Amino acid sequence: MAAPGSCALWSYCGRGWSRAMRGCQLLGLRSSWPGDLLSARLLSQEKRAAETHFGFETVSEEEKGGKVYQVFESVAKKYDVMNDMMSLGIHRVWKDLLLWKMHPLPGTQLLDVAGGTGDIAFRFLNYVQSQHQRKQKRQLRAQQNLSWEEIAKEYQNEEDSLGGSRVVVCDINKEMLKVGKQKALAQGYRAGLAWVLGDAEELPFDDDKFDIYTIAFGIRNVTHIDQEAHRVLKPGGRFLCLEFSQVNNPLISRLYDLYSFQVIPVLGEVIAGDWKSYQYLVESIRRFPSQEEFKDMIEDAGFHKVTYESLTSGIVAIHSGFKL
Amino acid sequence: MATLLRPVLRRLCGLPGLQRPAAEMPLRARSDGAGPLYSHHLPTSPLQKGLLAAGSAAMALYNPYRHDMVAVLGETTGHRTLKVLRDQMRRDPEGAQILQERPRISTSTLDLGKLQSLPEGSLGREYLRFLDVNGHCFPYGMADTRAPTRFVDDEELAYVIQRYREVHDMLHTLLGMPTNILGEIVVKWFEAVQTGLPMCILGAFFGPIRLGAQSLQVLVSELIPWAVQNGRRAPCVLNLYYERRWEQSLRALREELGITAPPMHVQGLA
């Protein structure tokens, strides 16, 4: 899979990265924003070396971070292609539905964790931009009998086409962020977007900073993120999680299992040259708790009004909670 | 504040009262119920093998630089043929020795210094010269012997196909074929006749698809008949213990196998 040398530095992901941070605050963090969001945080003490799962293997928490890093390093370039192939393009609909549910208002500060290649961030920017444009049109329509010069001036005065909305994409994996940045460049997203290399379990942001925290298809790859999610959200902020979940229909469940275990690793091998990463993917999906269980866990973490919505018979689910 | 996943992790890590009993948990695909038979082995079901064979064939045609796909195709389609090859190796004394001792040709096992010191015209010296002039031959040359066999469900057969890959460069030396596409196709034809591996046969027929008309003409009229003739005449090349024959003169070895000189110098073509 990935060459061991390149991820030696990151082999302790999570814990070790925090250690490396000590004394060298902004190492590896890239953000186009002023320093107020990147505080010099006192780093936490060592966490217990507990056991967790990596697909169907049992590994220590330290190991899991490193292994997950390797998986995403090796799949980064083909990540989007594989997503399209594996889900037959349905993942785009799921992500669109997440945005629909989010219904961000202008001026929203979004933090997209494990956002790697930027799918959620770009959709957010599109949504907010089109919303803003619609608002502008409404305003202009309300003002009758404007001359062309006045209308043109109205548009020219508009400096911020996003209405104050910003999105920060945070991912622990350099390769995924690289791919995301390239996509942003290719698709022309510049304003309102920031890319930060950071660990979801120790976010490099101050408390109470964001209106919405999303994590799309990332939460099963990390171990403990609830405290951080709760911390960085403003009071009234929303936690949204899009993740694979348990299928509620037995027939579809059988077909889904067959497809997952027989076809997906083959697709991974043929398209990305990587069987093992996709084996990990389907196994990690099976290990993830059901919709109800996950809802309980979010409630345990201190969020209120937790709800979930299953999509495509429960193949994925969107969980939502509020920090009150 | 309880952490998000800890309750579930405690539950999933072996304690009773699992929401989904372990028996129901779908396991990694197992063929004939066994786990991995050798290191790097990935057990696959027949459906997966079929999908892999089809997918790798398509991908190899679509993107000829995906040499790993050619390897996968060979592994998933070659089971029956590999058995035949293995049995035939067992019947031959030298072949049986190879099966027993399992020699490997790789940068770690080859003593390049010693090969350098051998006299001109010897197999070892000529092999080294071939590597220097042509570079390693993807995907079967030394650069890629790191790519181990994964989809063959028998440990001895996995070795046979690995040996076949490692011997590929030798065949180039024996036949005097360079590593350009024309040379590769000629060697593929020779291998197809010799081994009968489906991957070689497919490669032999589909390889020329990307050739220009002139090369194609030369290929069909002269090179392929020559390769086929030699392939049929020569005993199975997998039975040769090359590691013991470094000092043997290349010409003598060619005579022993009945390999004649190529009809023309292929270097400048394709």
Side-chain angles (χ1 to χ4, degrees):
Chain A
M1 243 197 286
S6 66
C7 60
L9 182 63
W10 299 99
S11 61
Y12 345 70
C13 230
R15 248 68 57 241
W17 188 83
S18 328
R19 275 183 239 127
M21 268 283 280
R22 221 166 271 155
C24 201
Q25 248 87 42
L26 297 179
L27 179 75
L29 293 180
R30 292 178 235 304
S31 172
S32 57
W33 290 15
D36 66 308
L37 282 181
L38 308 172
S39 58
R41 295 190 54 227
L42 276 175
L43 298 163
S44 61
Q45 62 283 357
E46 306 263 353
K47 296 186 179 140
R48 276 191 350 264
E51 294 255 299
T52 179
H53 56 81
F54 180 75
F56 287 161
E57 291 176 44
T58 306
V59 298
S60 73
E61 284 182 1
E62 297 252 339
E63 258 190 279
K64 172 161 181 168
K67 285 186 143 184
V68 171
Y69 192 92
Q70 280 177 6
V71 165
F72 281 95
E73 199 178 25
S74 73
V75 306
K77 291 206 177 72
K78 294 271 170 76
Y79 186 74
D80 293 319
V81 173
M82 280 301 299
N83 280 347
D84 274 330
M85 288 286 143
M86 289 192 292
S87 67
L88 305 172
I90 301 178
H91 75 108
R92 296 165 187 244
V93 177
W94 292 333
K95 287 169 182 163
D96 288 338
L97 284 171
L98 177 68
L99 255 298
W100 266 104
K101 202 166 166 95
M102 195 195 294
H103 194 42
L105 300 170
T108 301
Q109 312 291 306
L110 171 68
L111 173 65
D112 183 24
V113 176
T117 52
D119 279 342
I120 303 291
F122 299 152
R123 282 176 169 77
F124 173 79
L125 289 174
N126 285 342
Y127 189 103
V128 157
Q129 206 156 28
S130 67
Q131 244 194 346
H132 194 76
Q133 279 170 355
R134 261 181 280 144
K135 186 168 134 200
Q136 260 192 328
K137 274 206 207 127
R138 273 201 303 268
Q139 274 177 341
L140 282 179
R141 244 184 280 139
Q143 298 166 7
Q144 304 290 324
N145 298 324
L146 285 179
S147 69
W148 282 116
E149 288 91 358
E150 282 171 299
I151 294 176
K153 206 167 22 150
E154 184 74 41
Y155 276 105
Q156 274 165 13
N157 280 342
E158 192 52 60
E159 279 156 15
D160 186 359
S161 62
L162 298 172
S165 313
R166 299 276 182 273
V167 56
V168 179
V169 180
C170 179
D171 199 292
I172 200 168
N173 193 300
K174 266 195 225 163
E175 294 302 315
M176 295 290 281
L177 280 179
K178 222 194 291 185
V179 173
K181 279 191 205 167
Q182 283 167 353
K183 268 171 69 178
L185 224 67
Q187 296 177 21
Y189 293 102
R190 270 181 305 273
L193 188 57
W195 304 88
V196 174
L197 187 67
D199 182 357
E201 302 179 13
E202 291 221 45
L203 288 170
F205 306 113
D206 267 332
D207 299 3
D208 304 337
K209 273 284 172 227
F210 295 99
D211 295 307
I212 306 185
Y213 175 111
T214 52
I215 181 164
F217 300 118
I219 205 166
R220 67 181 194 288
N221 298 313
V222 297
T223 28
H224 315 292
I225 64 159
D226 56 314
Q227 293 189 3
E228 287 298 286
H230 202 268
R231 183 180 66 80
V232 300
L233 276 175
K234 291 185 192 158
R238 191 176 194 185
F239 170 85
L240 277 167
C241 172
L242 174 65
E243 190 54 80
F244 290 107
S245 202
Q246 309 292 348
V247 178
N248 39 37
N249 179 319
L251 172 64
I252 298 192
S253 175
R254 290 263 168 100
L255 288 173
Y256 181 52
D257 279 349
L258 185 75
Y259 179 72
S260 295
F261 283 92
Q262 301 296 317
V263 179
I264 287 187
V266 173
L267 277 178
E269 178 64 35
V270 172
I271 298 178
D274 195 342
W275 177 283
K276 290 222 161 116
S277 296
Y278 290 91
Q279 182 93 44
Y280 161 72
L281 167 72
V282 296
E283 289 177 359
S284 66
I285 292 175
R286 293 298 173 298
R287 288 292 223 156
F288 197 71
S290 69
Q291 284 88 325
E292 275 297 325
E293 269 188 63
F294 193 45
K295 171 171 176 255
D296 292 336
M297 292 193 292
I298 298 177
E299 279 172 349
D300 283 344
F303 289 98
H304 298 267
K305 297 237 17 118
V306 180
T307 55
Y308 64 84
E309 187 187 331
S310 292
L311 305 172
T312 327
S313 306
I315 294 181
V316 301
I318 300 179
H319 282 79
S320 155
F322 289 90
K323 170 179 175 175
L324 295 176
Chain B
M1 216 187 288
T3 54
L4 212 57
L5 287 172
R6 210 172 279 155
V8 149
L9 292 176
R10 260 188 247 123
R11 268 189 267 169
L12 284 180
C13 285
L15 295 177
L18 270 185
Q19 164 221 15
R20 267 163 133 230
E24 263 179 47
M25 204 71 105
L27 302 169
R28 287 184 180 170
R30 284 162 199 262
S31 57
D32 77 351
L37 297 165
Y38 49 90
S39 72
H40 303 284
H41 182 213
L42 290 170
T44 43
S45 66
L47 173 62
Q48 283 178 318
K49 285 212 178 62
L51 290 172
L52 269 175
S56 61
M59 186 54 97
L61 273 179
Y62 173 71
N63 181 356
Y65 293 102
R66 288 291 303 273
H67 302 292
D68 58 327
M69 289 290 103
V70 180
V72 168
L73 182 62
E75 287 171 30
T76 49
T77 54
H79 196 84
R80 216 171 285 173
T81 320
L82 284 175
K83 275 205 190 127
V84 169
L85 277 176
R86 191 260 316 264
D87 292 340
Q88 179 243 66
M89 276 172 88
R90 274 194 191 150
R91 285 194 292 270
D92 178 89
E94 215 173 330
Q97 257 188 338
I98 296 175
L99 278 180
Q100 219 160 20
E101 293 172 24
R102 306 259 178 114
R104 299 289 301 269
I105 304 178
S106 70
T107 40
S108 50
T109 56
L110 275 188
D111 186 353
L112 294 173
K114 178 178 155 239
L115 290 182
Q116 188 93 10
S117 64
L118 289 173
E120 286 291 314
S122 64
L123 176 64
R125 193 73 188 78
E126 292 306 310
Y127 178 59
L128 209 59
R129 174 170 297 135
F130 164 80
L131 290 180
D132 283 337
V133 169
N134 289 293
H136 294 304
C137 170
F138 256 131
Y140 307 122
M142 287 204 280
D144 226 24
T145 48
R146 267 180 270 135
T149 317
R150 284 172 301 161
F151 299 111
V152 179
D153 291 330
D154 178 301
E155 185 235 359
E156 197 171 21
L157 298 182
Y159 172 73
V160 174
I161 202 169
Q162 189 76 31
R163 178 78 182 164
Y164 152 74
R165 282 187 199 151
E166 290 170 4
V167 151
H168 180 84
D169 274 350
M170 292 287 179
L171 292 182
H172 273 276
T173 317
L174 276 178
L175 295 172
M177 286 291 132
T179 52
N180 56 25
I181 188 150
L182 208 55
E184 288 296 343
I185 295 176
V186 176
V187 176
K188 251 311 152 277
W189 274 91
F190 182 83
E191 285 174 346
V193 172
Q194 281 264 308
T195 63
L197 281 169
M199 179 257 288
C200 298
I201 298 177
L202 284 171
F205 279 103
F206 283 96
I209 277 182
R210 289 173 188 261
L211 279 184
Q214 200 188 20
S215 317
L216 205 58
Q217 214 248 338
V218 168
L219 186 70
V220 171
S221 60
E222 314 226 10
L223 292 171
I224 290 182
W226 172 78
V228 170
Q229 241 181 7
N230 282 283
R232 295 172 84 161
R233 193 167 39 216
C236 184
V237 288
L238 284 179
N239 286 334
L240 296 175
Y241 207 135
Y242 296 100
E243 289 85 341
R244 299 227 179 114
R245 291 171 179 253
W246 291 132
E247 292 92 5
Q248 183 177 15
S249 135
L250 184 57
R251 182 189 304 236
L253 183 57
R254 281 181 179 152
E255 266 179 45
E256 186 184 329
L257 297 176
I259 294 179
T260 56
M264 60 192 32
H265 193 57
V266 177
Q267 199 75 29
L269 298 171

